[in-house]
Amino acid sequence: METASKKSFITSDIMKNAIIGAFKKLNPIYMIKNPVMFVVEIGFILVLLLTIFPNLLDSGAGEKDRLYNAIVAIVLFVTILFANFAESIAEGRGKAQVQTLKNTKTATKVRVLLENGQEVMKQAHELKKGDIVLVQAGEVIPNDGEVIDGIATVDESAITGESAPVVKERGGDFSSVTGGTTVTSDWLMVEITALPGESFLDKMIALIEGASRKKTPNEIALNTLLVSLTIIFLLVVVTLYPMTVYLDVHIPIATLIALTVCLIPSTIGGLLSAIGIAGMDRVTQFNVIAMSGRAVEACGDVDTLILDKTGTITYGNRMASEFSPVNGVEISKLIRAAWLSSLTDDTPEGKSILLLACELLVDTTHEGLIIEKSDHISFTAQTRMSGLNMQDGTKIRKGAYDSIKNESLAAGQVIPKDLEQLVHRVSSVGGTPLVVSVNDKILGVIFLKDIVKPGLKERFDQLRAMGIKTIMCTGDNPLTAASIAKEAGVDGFIAESKPEDKIKVIKDEQALGKIVAMTGDGTNDAPALAQANVGLAMNSGTNAAKEAANMVDLDSNPTKIIEVVEIGKQLLMTRGALTTFSIANDVAKYFAIIPAMLMVAIPEMNALNVMMLNSPTSAIISALIFNAVIIPLLIPIAMKGVNYKPMSASKLLSKNLFIYGLGGLLAPFIGIKLIDLIIGPILQIMGL
Amino acid sequence: MWQIAIILAIYLPLVILAGHYLFRVTMNENTWLDPVFDKIDGIIYRVSGIKQVDMTGKQYVFTLILSNAFMVFIGYLLLRIQSALFLNPNGIDNMEATLSFNTIISFMTNTNLQHYSGESGLSYMSQMLIIIFMMFTSAATGYAACMAFCRRLVAKTDTLGNFFVDLVRIITRVLMPISFVVAIILVAQGSPQTFSANKTVETIEGKMQDIALGPVASLESIKHIGTNGGGFYGANSTTPFENPTVFSNIIEILSMMLLPGACVVAFSLMVAHRRKKTIFGKQGLAIFTAMGVLFLIGLVTVTVAERAGNPLISNLGITQELGSMEGKEMRFGVEQSALFTAVTTAFTTGSVNNMHDTLTPIGGLVPMFNMMLNVVFGGKGVGLMNMMMYVLLTIFIACLMIGRTPQFLGKKIEEKEMKLIALCILIHPAIILLFSALAVATTAGVAGITNPGAHGLSQVLYEYASSSANNGSGFEGLADNSTFWNVTTGLAMFFGRYVTIILQLAIASLLAKKIWYSDTVGTLKTDNAMFTTLLVAIVLLIGALTFLPALSLGPITEHLKIYYR
């Protein structure tokens, strides 16, 4: 999360391209896709015509009107540019990411193995599904595929940003390779599973570029609302004209157009597509590829999160957390023995024992000497213990309870009476006991524990406040599972779970009307990923899993689903907040424009000029300028999304209503007044 | 003020009681009246051949339209030949074609806009077989549509309820009994209920005067119970025969308010029913409160404005101590008149006990505004449906603000629904504004306007607002019995009624067929004070902003000209 937000917001390069883009997008064929802004453009063209030919619609219009029309035309033009700029800048940020990806796609010629075993060179774009290619060290894998033979390290930094190469081999969870990654050692025989141009990388590029960006369902629904509001306000202004004619109230056409533009939701209309692009972009910056915008939106609705215990809730490995000596043995003696037993143990468990022992007291001098002078006894499935035989003949062991006990009994030692109790205590809370002996005399027990990732409990509390339930899946026995579940603070758990159980849980939750998200990596997770409303697959996982999911995490960090849920919510919230802001703005604009446009014919209207604006002209132009300027001012919010902290729906609503509803009501009163204070005198000098 | 307070205090327990009864009737649950009504309904079903089969949303709305069309056809025919038919002691002539068109649409759509005067335009047969008949059927149609809508919101299937059965049950179990009781009370207060011809009597001044009689009380009761509003006489509830006393005035006010409010309670009970028994239900209470707040805003405004009177008249040395009494009945005074005005437009009845044309500009703006919003309780059934459109819109915006895709009662509101909702909200202002613009831009339209300037525009806006909202009250003063006005207001009433109902039932059908999602802490609460506040704000923002420019040229200009000259 940190690295993503630290990326610079806008570079000068993006800025330059965005400005050019803003002008390119003025093309009406492009503009018509955004009906709200299209109306503004039509208005601009009309006022522009009226600037050139002031008498086109109003006979008897003079030079003064020409100047007024020109000013309105300029402000309208700037309004459209601002909206286009917002969209360009969102696209620009995506494009910058794409450029790095595109640079990695350099495989041109590939070795294809024919059925008869012959080797033929082909162009990369000629590859078909099912072709078998041979990729050697230093070469780029041409397209997505499954390893069918060979074992090699592959550099996937191009898509994951992770520089350490990954081992790929036939079968299992590490058999899928991605086009665009580089084989760094040995060779692989790969069966191609994607068509050229449809590889994972291609999809990713298209998504980020926004070229293939389809409007998401919610965006379409919101767009419908905005278009309807536009139609309503168009009707309001169009029907106003004959009424004013009937009442002999003269209103310049440019003013009516200004009124229309101010009333239609041009703020949200101008920023809507930028919000969508930026939302997807935020997901991508987390190194998560969403297959569709719909998936990101669905994230915002998630009610139930299904999480694997290992790797997601706890670290993959168990860690030492406590030393418990048997009666009559000093704890320092046990710690020393445990430390010695693990000196040559390279497993993560062993390392964690060293770490804990050092923290507690052990004198680590002569460490190198001891290692050098001792015989290392490594763990085997038969002995189920490890340790070392020191130079002086001291035999230090740690291992499973049964093995050490038997060894100790065989050596004629007495088993301490409280040992069984200690061992039982550890396993009853979900830990793994390791018994330590020196020369077959049992000293005590090391408590190996599943360590819940720090901060997760708070995360789950936040999720609960947001109304999201968490369910943990684990292969552990119910006792262990319950204890971990309690420690992590999840709402439910499924112990001794098999992959089929996950689907069952998902289906059960869905039957209760819940929207379910889950993470998975293995092939056997694929059906569950497909069944879930939101499935996040790990990039390290199999192709089957990735295809079944609607999102792929390139960093293969299962905890990320929580962040993705937050991004989904943030995307929807940004739309809602800016829509509310945009609609609330209309009140102030009415108070600026309506009295202003009627004041000439009905002087009593001045009573409604609550902002005490300089002159009718100044009031209308101030409202119009505010309407234009607010778009670039809101671009940062559109890009970054509204500030979001997990809290209950009711609190969130009141907070956002206060900021964007009440704020949207009041801000334009202040803004229009300020602009009026500046431009009022200027307009007066110009004689308007 | 205490008169208003007491009436509203009586209203609340009444509306809850009526709501529970409506709920039981709608959901086919037992009531203590069943032994009687089951037999009556059974006979009706057998005679008319109604099969009690559940209909899909499409079938329901199709049946509704077709049956209404049939009634329109018959009604039109009868109006055109009424002079030759029975029960015509006063020798009333046939009605002219465009006026008949306007009248029949007006009564079938529950509008009751009257471009004729009952005492001179309709025979007793027409009053009873067309006017009173349609007052029952149109009210029942609106309510049936609303209940079909509400049932679909809480159901998980689109196939439920039969239009004919609903229509019959509403008329026999709800409208008939209540109307009967109200009619008896009105007769006791002095309303005539007779078939005898008009009487010509010698007045104290020694001159001869025609006293128009007829079956008034029976029409009067359903006129208010069914939020119809069309008077027996041209002068409607201002006349002593339609509305004899202060007590009858209160009865009429409560009659208008009873069923539209009860619809909200019934809906609320449907939503709450799945879980537990309740007096009101939180969901309905939130909507009821929002309607109530909007109603009170209007009521207070009109009362204050009428009490203040007109300073220009005060300047002439004429006292305004009683408030602005121009066009009001002495027996009602400002308060009972203001309350009647607010109620008849908010609850979309359209009967009047004072001339709305002579209200102060702001006083006149309130009824106009109530009809433009068309959601302040609104007509029987349809008012709730209109408000539900704003509820769905509010949910759409509010859900986005909390980062959820929009969802109401477990159903997602997506593109298709949003399109129809937007269209529904759009159609009402479109009808009012487009026809008003047409009227002031054409000579045929302008010919009907009897006042110059801003007040003339107010008359036009009022007429179309009243038509489109299916209210039917008139600003009066408009010379509206002309081809132009008959046809345009007829169309406004027609579109305002049927297009909206079709769209609304389509939305309900779409929602009924959707997958149901449960509510959690993370979903939007649509039944608390926050939601009510937001709902009122959205109604005012979208509803009010749409009409503000037009209103500022009409009543607002009038008001400013009085106070800031």
Side-chain angles (χ1 to χ4, degrees), chain B residues 415-482:
Chain B
E415 187 209 348
K416 252 187 177 171
E417 294 78 43
M418 204 56 224
K419 248 185 204 153
L420 299 179
I421 294 166
L423 208 57
C424 254
I425 290 177
L426 186 101
I427 193 130
H428 182 60
I431 292 172
I432 298 174
L433 292 175
L434 284 174
F435 276 121
S436 296
L438 183 72
V440 296
T442 53
T443 42
V446 173
I449 304 173
T450 54
N451 273 287
H455 194 71
L457 182 66
S458 299
Q459 288 181 327
V460 174
L461 285 170
Y462 192 103
E463 184 77 359
Y464 287 113
S466 174
S467 303
S468 180
N470 297 136
N471 177 282
S473 69
F475 219 31
E476 303 308 334
L478 197 66
D480 49 18
N481 184 13
S482 68

Side-chain angles (χ1 to χ4, degrees), chain B residues 25-45:
Chain B
V25 170
T26 316
M27 300 309 271
N28 276 320
E29 292 195 16
N30 299 332
T31 64
W32 57 276
L33 291 164
D34 279 350
V36 185
F37 286 125
D38 282 349
K39 283 199 190 93
I40 299 175
D41 289 353
I43 295 167
I44 295 174
Y45 296 152

Side-chain angles (χ1 to χ4, degrees), chain B residues 354-433:
Chain B
N354 66 92
M355 280 303 128
H356 289 180
D357 197 23
T358 54
L359 291 168
T360 58
I362 294 299
L365 182 132
V366 169
M368 220 185 288
F369 196 60
N370 277 341
M371 295 186 294
M372 286 169 170
L373 292 185
N374 203 14
V375 297
V376 190
F377 292 100
K380 199 167 170 310
V382 290
L384 175 61
M385 286 201 280
N386 291 336
M387 187 50 133
M388 291 310 294
M389 296 299 108
Y390 279 98
V391 168
L392 295 174
L393 180 65
T394 307
I395 286 169
F396 186 86
I397 294 174
C399 270
L400 288 185
M401 294 241 272
I402 60 163
R404 305 276 300 201
T405 59
Q407 171 181 333
F408 180 53
L409 298 179
K411 309 288 180 66
K412 294 272 175 220
I413 306 165
E414 289 166 302
E415 187 209 348
K416 252 187 177 171
E417 294 78 43
M418 204 56 224
K419 248 185 204 153
L420 299 179
I421 294 166
L423 208 57
C424 254
I425 290 177
L426 186 101
I427 193 130
H428 182 60
I431 292 172
I432 298 174
L433 292 175

Side-chain angles (χ1 to χ4, degrees), chain B residues 28 53 59 63 71 82 93-94 120 130 186 190 213 217 227 232 257 275 307 323 343 349 364 406 504 518:
Chain B
N28 276 320
V53 194
Q59 287 169 330
T63 318
M71 289 188 258
Q82 63 175 352
D93 209 355
N94 293 334
S120 57
I130 302 170
L186 289 177
L213 295 172
T227 65
F232 194 92
M257 296 171 80
R275 275 155 288 177
R307 267 226 197 123
V343 169
T349 306
Q504 284 161 341
S518 71

Side-chain angles (χ1 to χ4, degrees), chain A residues 217-218 220-222 224-225 228-229 231-233 235-236 239-240 242-244 246-247 249 259 294 297 300-303 464-467 510-515 533 568-569 572-577 579-580 583-584 586-587 590 594 598 602 604-605 607-608 648-650 652-654 656-657 660 665, chain B residues 393 396-406 412-415 418-419 422-423 425-426 429-430 433-434 436-438 440-441 446 449 451-454 456-457 461 516-525 528 530-531 534 541-542 544-550 552-554 556-557 560-561 564-565:
Chain A
N218 176 264
I220 296 172
L222 180 58
T224 311
L225 174 67
S228 323
L229 285 176
I231 297 173
I232 291 184
F233 286 121
L235 268 174
V236 168
T239 55
L240 188 65
M243 291 183 202
T244 57
Y246 168 73
L247 293 173
V249 176
L259 176 63
R294 179 186 272 269
E297 274 174 8
D301 287 343
V302 167
D303 298 309
R464 201 167 303 118
M466 289 154 61
Q510 284 173 338
L512 289 173
K514 309 280 190 204
I515 295 181
N533 304 73
K569 280 195 179 298
L572 294 173
M573 273 166 52
T574 310
R575 279 191 202 136
T579 307
T580 310
I583 298 174
D586 279 6
V587 177
Y590 259 128
I594 298 238
L598 300 179
I602 310 163
E604 292 89 352
M605 275 289 164
L608 294 183
S648 75
S650 305
L652 200 58
L653 182 63
S654 42
N656 281 337
L657 271 183
Y660 296 97
L665 213 57
Chain B
L393 180 65
F396 186 86
I397 294 174
C399 270
L400 288 185
M401 294 241 272
I402 60 163
R404 305 276 300 201
T405 59
K412 294 272 175 220
I413 306 165
E414 289 166 302
E415 187 209 348
M418 204 56 224
K419 248 185 204 153
L423 208 57
I425 290 177
L426 186 101
L433 292 175
L434 284 174
S436 296
L438 183 72
V440 296
V446 173
I449 304 173
N451 273 287
L457 182 66
L461 285 170
W516 171 83
Y517 294 103
S518 71
D519 286 351
T520 65
V521 192
T523 38
L524 181 75
K525 293 264 168 304
N528 56 12
M530 167 66 75
F531 184 77
L534 189 58
L541 266 178
I542 308 244
L545 289 186
T546 316
F547 292 104
L548 197 64
S552 64
L553 286 174
I556 293 175
T557 297
L560 293 174
K561 284 199 168 173
Y564 297 93
R565 52 196 291 127

Side-chain angles (χ1 to χ4, degrees), chain B residues 61-75:
Chain B
V61 81
F62 189 69
T63 318
L64 182 153
I65 301 284
L66 217 63
S67 66
N68 274 214
F70 183 72
M71 289 188 258
V72 162
F73 180 71
I74 300 287

